[in-house]
Amino acid sequence: MNLVLYIHGKGGSAAESDHYTNLFPEYEVLGLDYKTFTPWETGKEIHETVKDLKSKYENIILIANSIRAFFSMNAQIENLIKKAYFISPIVNMEKLICNMMSWATVSEEELKRRKVISTDFGEDLSWDYLQYVKNHPVNWNVPTKILYGEKDNLTSFETMKAFADSHKASLTMMKGGEHWFHTKEQMAFLDNWIVNE
């Protein structure tokens, strides 16, 4: 038996996995409804889930969105999955956190002192989170295909391409696409990317 495991991005839901059922007719499709929100907790949750699923399924394909792609790469599941499809993945979390610190005019010294700082753009900056990211560089050796929107406001094309090149991942960019693939046109592009890649 084969499985597609879908891990939604922030603000999404496991029910989004239904979208992929027709794209993988020979696979069962399951959405992970995770309960945690830090890379060390969610990574453990993903690992335990995939390890359990691997006892029931011969081949597991991972589809992960945005920050959950980053969490998946921290979950030590490389030996448990066949391949991965990443949609707008966060591939350099340290750089993203530093960018957010810059947007919020917060220095590393201030973050270290205050531990957690709320921002005007709705994200909390965390000293523990930054330290975890610095101390756990991504090590990912799974055949991976990446879908990237040209207007992604969280990760630059240069950062995405550098990751793809260094991890031998294929990279497809949608002209005019955003970080969140959600419009009819964007979803049609995503479907075509999965079917024809």
Side-chain angles (χ1 to χ4, degrees):
M1 291 180 69
N2 298 319
L3 176 74
V4 170
L5 178 63
Y6 173 78
I7 307 181
H8 65 83
K10 184 177 179 182
S13 77
E16 293 169 14
S17 63
D18 292 346
H19 177 83
Y20 299 91
T21 303
N22 292 334
L23 301 177
F24 293 91
E26 296 176 11
Y27 283 70
E28 238 181 276
V29 178
L30 174 70
L32 176 60
D33 192 15
Y34 50 81
K35 311 292 183 196
T36 55
F37 300 96
T38 63
W40 52 93
E41 292 172 313
T42 309
K44 184 179 178 185
E45 190 173 355
I46 292 169
H47 179 85
E48 289 172 355
T49 299
V50 174
K51 186 178 177 183
D52 180 57
L53 290 169
K54 186 63 177 171
S55 68
K56 302 166 190 169
Y57 295 91
E58 184 179 354
N59 295 308
I60 299 176
I61 293 176
L62 173 68
I63 301 176
N65 261 305
S66 188
I67 194 169
R68 302 310 181 226
F70 170 74
F71 288 176
S72 296
M73 289 188 286
N74 275 274
Q76 298 178 336
I77 57 172
E78 291 146 298
N79 297 327
L80 301 173
I81 62 173
K82 181 180 178 182
K83 63 180 174 180
Y85 293 87
F86 285 165
I87 304 160
S88 304
I90 303 300
V91 295
N92 189 330
M93 182 58 80
E94 182 178 355
K95 189 169 190 175
L96 177 57
I97 292 172
C98 290
N99 286 344
M100 290 195 292
M101 288 169 64
S102 177
W103 302 338
T105 60
V106 171
S107 68
E108 199 165 320
E109 293 74 21
E110 183 182 3
L111 186 59
K112 182 177 182 181
R113 187 176 71 252
R114 293 176 58 186
K115 300 300 182 192
V116 177
I117 298 175
S118 296
T119 67
D120 293 338
F121 47 85
E123 297 292 339
D124 286 346
L125 298 168
S126 161
W127 175 253
D128 289 344
Y129 204 128
L130 178 59
Q131 293 312 297
Y132 177 89
V133 168
K134 284 184 173 185
N135 293 321
H136 296 84
V138 167
N139 181 22
W140 185 245
N141 296 300
V142 172
T144 301
K145 300 178 187 302
I146 297 172
L147 179 59
Y148 175 78
E150 180 187 27
K151 296 183 178 179
D152 191 314
N153 61 341
L154 295 181
T155 303
S156 69
F157 177 74
E158 291 74 24
T159 297
M160 194 66 73
K161 187 174 187 313
F163 175 87
D165 289 348
S166 64
H167 291 80
K168 297 181 176 62
S170 72
L171 175 59
T172 300
M173 182 175 74
M174 179 183 179
K175 292 281 187 184
E178 304 166 273
H179 181 75
W180 179 34
F181 278 70
H182 66 289
T183 68
K184 187 176 180 180
E185 180 188 11
Q186 290 164 356
M187 293 308 291
F189 190 98
L190 185 155
D191 291 355
N192 187 62
W193 167 69
I194 285 180
V195 170
N196 294 309
E197 270 293 309

